[in-house]
Amino acid sequence: MAILRYNFRSEILGINTNITVCYPAGLLTTGLGYRHPVFKDNKLAYEPGMKFQTVYVLHGGGEDDTIPYRYTRLEQYAEKNMAMLVSPSVNDSLYMNTTYGFKYFDYVTQELPVVVQSLFASAFGRENNFVVGMAMGGNGALALGLMRPDLYEAVVDLSGGIGVTLDREEYIRSLHWHFPKVRETLLGEREFVESEHDLRGFAEKNISDGVKVPKIFIGVGAEDFIRDRVHEDYAILKNLGYDVYYEEAEGMKHDFDMWDFYLNKALSDWLPLKRMPIYPR
Amino acid sequence: MAILRYNFRSEILGINTNITVCYPAGLLTTGLGYRHPVFKDNKLAYEPGMKFQTVYVLHGGGEDDTIPYRYTRLEQYAEKNMAMLVSPSVNDSLYMNTTYGFKYFDYVTQELPVVVQSLFASAFGRENNFVVGMAMGGNGALALGLMRPDLYEAVVDLSGGIGVTLDREEYIRSLHWHFPKVRETLLGEREFVESEHDLRGFAEKNISDGVKVPKIFIGVGAEDFIRDRVHEDYAILKNLGYDVYYEEAEGMKHDFDMWDFYLNKALSDWLPLKRMPIYPR
Amino acid sequence: MAILRYNFRSEILGINTNITVCYPAGLLTTGLGYRHPVFKDNKLAYEPGMKFQTVYVLHGGGEDDTIPYRYTRLEQYAEKNMAMLVSPSVNDSLYMNTTYGFKYFDYVTQELPVVVQSLFASAFGRENNFVVGMAMGGNGALALGLMRPDLYEAVVDLSGGIGVTLDREEYIRSLHWHFPKVRETLLGEREFVESEHDLRGFAEKNISDGVKVPKIFIGVGAEDFIRDRVHEDYAILKNLGYDVYYEEAEGMKHDFDMWDFYLNKALSDWLPLKRMPIYPR
Amino acid sequence: MAILRYNFRSEILGINTNITVCYPAGLLTTGLGYRHPVFKDNKLAYEPGMKFQTVYVLHGGGEDDTIPYRYTRLEQYAEKNMAMLVSPSVNDSLYMNTTYGFKYFDYVTQELPVVVQSLFASAFGRENNFVVGMAMGGNGALALGLMRPDLYEAVVDLSGGIGVTLDREEYIRSLHWHFPKVRETLLGEREFVESEHDLRGFAEKNISDGVKVPKIFIGVGAEDFIRDRVHEDYAILKNLGYDVYYEEAEGMKHDFDMWDFYLNKALSDWLPLKRMPIYPR
């Protein structure tokens, strides 16, 4: 696997920011001279114009773009599934446009894909883009998929729960948590309904408008303190008619043992990946 | 400007290696929605499929891919000239295939361009690729241009002199320098003539074969200890009929004051750059 | 010079953050075996327990900890002055405790020095610590010095002006600038007087309490759009009785030509550095 | 956990090189104000002068200092055992002084510890330093421990086998392997006995001189292609009278599943670590 950290100025955020990008380059070779038989000696050819299906991997609360790659064996899971990975860094914004001016949702959904698809070998089109997140990033992944169903073929929410939610009562409760970044970031209880922080509104509108929605996968540890909230998001989606798969991991908690195991599962089993580069015709 | 360090396994070297890559992203915007008027509000549109003319920047002896970006203001010079930069790291190999098995010349000329053009937005074609080097990298740039004239439109050799040379007597002398890496890396005096370390052989063959050769720019400080050797490379090229420009900088030595000033000059004045991205039609 | 980027979780911020750290390692040698004659062959010995005087370098608005090292030749200026450099990354917070919960001022003044002095070879004591900033970082440096005069021996404000200021009327005006991060970050006009965002209050209290204050250096380009505001900060400090030096650079603007030149001047001429490591007795 | 990559010029190598360093900073807090009760709220105080026991982690063939941190969950294993980690990058040199002039053994054993103990919070003294390696790094760890028994309290060799060995016949065979870097790096069959590449010579001399030697742990997968060679190193050491522990992992091969599992075991169970910082008195 091959990795880079790209440092650039985001126009939407107005600041320099970092993304981590991984390529499945360990399976590529220059030795085939731009011809691309399928896996000669287990290798595929490099070729200008080639693209990779792209999985956006969203870090959890208090973390940044480097953590998923350091605390799990994610690079290896991506390589064997021939996917490219991209991780933004969102400064505990819950992947939302914050009330204090930093528009992280717009950055991740409007600016980042354009930058990544222009400067890196990332395939465009909804069918080639996926989003997976852990903890705060799990909710982020769910929000991205419900608010921009045109962008992602499938969504994986692992142990979500901190941040926006489909359960409006739970949203209000979370404004009073001991984790103050929720209320400092999100709209208050009198303002949030039908706002850009109200996931329920988006989820219902997708259904009523007959919009094509991503396939949704939700995983949570049976011992996770946030298990009920994650399950409730699942139940609401199911009830609304979403194609949603839910799996509860026996004996697992809210930690990197869970996420290391489920990132492999998400990339190897759940996501409908081609597991091949997309070559120019 | 925007920068990344990419860590990947080179097949030809057989090891993990780093490259530094810069994009002129400070002049790009997502706000134009893939339409690309020329410099609206001084910005150009991102667009998937866009490519940048690429300048390979070669570090000097004892250095690595990070040094040119840290010791000069190179990123800013590249940005205002809308060029992408790529720097390999060559472990004091003089940019040659070493006698001890590491084929750095093959890596830089065969593998690196394919990797860079496949995974990054680097334009292909000789007319879009350039090579600039300082000190050991100056000789490296000269060698790349003479040995692979099909790859580079123009070459800039700043303060070259350590490593291969067009002067065969000087080559032999350098095998006895106090800098032992020259003799540990290059072929000995009985073997090097007409070998892959004999720059003179390549330079003469290009002319006798009528090969299209890169435009060559050579700069050196008038006070540089290596000035005479650099000038001799120039004189030999001139004599052979190469299109070569030579400039001696009054009062300048073999240091980053010289290279900072001349990297700007090379990018802004010398190299025949388009100073625009190349958009897909 | 030698550089690292350290990625760690800040307790005060509650998130993973990056700092860039430089050591003047190019002038150090292991060849002296822990003995430390002054500059044998222009080198000084490494020795466990050695410490370096430390200059905190504060980036400007929209930037991060990497920018000063990439856009200027700062590493070389620090090396020849045998200083260690540390740069935090503050996400456009104006180096203040923000109204939305991120306490960047506390992070930079309470947590960062402890982390740096515990994990790196940074000398403690006010007499060994300095702070220099550019643009938003210039104001940051001024604020750090006035609000924590016990921490820094001297302060350099280059082209400050965005953020907190000594001029309360100007503070209020800046809340209405087109740069909305000022009002999203700082307390409003009815709340800020005598608050932690009111630099004037700290500046006056230092004098009335007879506190030992840092030597202050202010530099600004004569053509800088923010020149008047920087000059006003200078005039107020002078009037209050501070030991403050002011220099206006003819023909210079608010850009990295100015900062590259003045970072060298600050490190080489202005700051009262020892220009030697501090060895254990 | 907290991580950095330090880029500096090695005097012994004569080039810029990278090391990766990890601190167990996730268990440290500034909130205790330099007082250090043992694990208040599961945290320990930062304090200038504190030191960490240090485990040098040696990468395998074709890899570099970043790989162990990316391909395993090593940071977490170090954090829970309150150890600091340091990884050099050795360019396929087998951790030896190469025949072509790069003295990697001297770099890793003479220069690196001085640099690390001078610039970072690494404890000195043999009792606080350990070395662990995988594959080529496994042999490297064994070689470091046998050739410099004064430096390391204990050594862990995981799946060693490429490079120097205790079995002189096997050494000669390996000069003819399809992996040519062995013969390009090491002394030939007529020269190596009693040379700095002859591990057997060092191993015997330690015993005959009555030198205090490190505790040695060897682990290898039962299905590893190199299992017999690793076992032979074990058998020779045992026979010579070394305190050596050997463990063969059922069903495991020469890959990161093995190394991820055994790095945890080495740090958590095998190495005689204090699992506490060392505070100044």
Side-chain angles (χ1 to χ4, degrees), chain D residues 53-54 123-130 150-154 212 272-274 278:
Chain D
Q53 290 195 306
T54 303
F124 42 87
R126 177 204 151 106
E127 68 276 18
N128 293 316
N129 285 273
F130 307 86
D150 56 313
L151 291 182
Y152 310 101
E153 185 69 17
K212 182 174 178 191
L273 292 163
K274 288 185 169 49
I278 298 164

Side-chain angles (χ1 to χ4, degrees), chain C residues 1-9 11-12 16 23 25 28-31 34 43 46-52 110-111 114-115 117-121 124, chain D residues 1-9 11-12 16 23 25 28-31 34 43 46-52 110-111 114-115 117-121 124:
Chain C
M1 203 69 190
I3 197 165
L4 64 91
R5 197 177 194 198
Y6 181 53
N7 184 285
F8 70 109
R9 181 182 168 93
E11 279 184 285
I12 286 177
N16 255 60
Y23 282 121
L28 301 177
T29 176
T30 58
Y34 295 162
K43 296 274 187 176
Y46 278 101
E47 184 175 343
M50 74 190 306
K51 302 289 180 191
F52 299 92
Q110 289 176 29
E111 183 175 9
V114 175
V115 168
Q117 291 165 20
S118 297
L119 302 183
F120 301 95
F124 42 87
Chain D
M1 203 67 189
I3 197 164
L4 64 92
R5 197 176 194 199
Y6 180 54
N7 183 285
F8 69 110
R9 182 182 168 94
E11 279 184 285
I12 287 177
N16 255 60
Y23 282 121
L28 300 177
T29 177
T30 57
Y34 296 163
K43 297 273 187 176
Y46 278 102
E47 184 176 342
M50 74 190 306
K51 303 288 182 193
F52 299 91
Q110 289 176 30
E111 183 175 8
V114 176
V115 168
Q117 290 165 21
S118 297
L119 302 184
F120 301 95
F124 42 87

Side-chain angles (χ1 to χ4, degrees), chain A residues 117-118 134 138 151 175 180 220 226 230 233 247:
Chain A
Q117 290 165 21
S118 297
M134 298 158 279
L151 291 182
L175 298 173
V220 68
I226 204 106
V230 176
D233 276 341
E247 187 169 313

Side-chain angles (χ1 to χ4, degrees), chain B residues 46-238:
Chain B
Y46 278 101
E47 183 176 343
M50 72 189 308
K51 302 288 181 192
F52 299 92
Q53 288 195 306
T54 302
V55 181
Y56 289 84
V57 175
L58 307 187
H59 67 76
E63 298 175 358
D64 70 10
D65 58 299
T66 67
I67 296 286
Y69 304 88
R70 294 161 44 195
Y71 285 15
T72 75
R73 297 174 59 197
L74 181 52
E75 282 189 60
Q76 291 158 84
Y77 308 145
E79 181 149 289
K80 68 180 175 179
N81 291 294
M82 199 46 94
M84 176 178 167
L85 306 177
V86 177
S87 290
S89 188
V90 303
N91 226 44
D92 263 6
S93 64
L94 315 168
Y95 296 89
M96 290 291 113
N97 291 339
T98 69
T99 54
Y100 53 87
F102 284 90
K103 296 186 176 299
Y104 279 100
F105 179 79
D106 291 351
Y107 161 63
V108 173
T109 56
Q110 290 176 29
E111 183 175 8
L112 188 59
V114 176
V115 168
V116 166
Q117 290 164 21
S118 297
L119 302 184
F120 301 95
S122 172
F124 42 88
R126 176 207 152 106
E127 69 276 17
N128 293 316
N129 285 273
F130 307 86
V131 59
V132 174
M134 297 158 279
M136 186 186 86
N139 266 56
L142 197 57
L144 266 57
L146 293 172
M147 295 168 69
R148 289 297 306 270
D150 55 314
L151 290 182
Y152 310 102
E153 183 69 17
V155 164
V156 178
D157 165 9
L158 299 176
S159 325
I162 309 286
V164 292
T165 172
L166 289 148
D167 179 343
R168 284 170 176 157
E169 288 179 30
E170 186 61 26
Y171 180 103
I172 292 168
R173 270 194 296 277
S174 75
L175 297 173
H176 303 287
W177 281 358
H178 71 283
F179 182 65
K181 277 171 190 165
V182 174
R183 68 176 164 278
E184 285 155 353
T185 303
L186 299 182
L187 290 162
E189 59 182 289
R190 299 184 190 190
E191 312 159 290
F192 86 98
V193 175
E194 303 296 336
S195 80
E196 63 179 341
H197 294 163
D198 179 29
L199 218 47
R200 182 62 161 272
F202 289 95
E204 292 176 348
K205 190 164 188 308
N206 287 334
I207 299 298
S208 63
D209 288 1
V211 164
K212 182 173 180 193
V213 291
K215 169 82 178 163
I216 298 174
F217 301 86
I218 298 180
V220 68
E223 313 299 319
D224 191 333
F225 75 96
I226 204 109
R227 180 264 171 206
D228 291 353
R229 190 165 157 157
V230 176
H231 185 269
E232 187 62 18
D233 275 342
Y234 158 69
I236 292 170
L237 286 169
K238 190 78 188 170

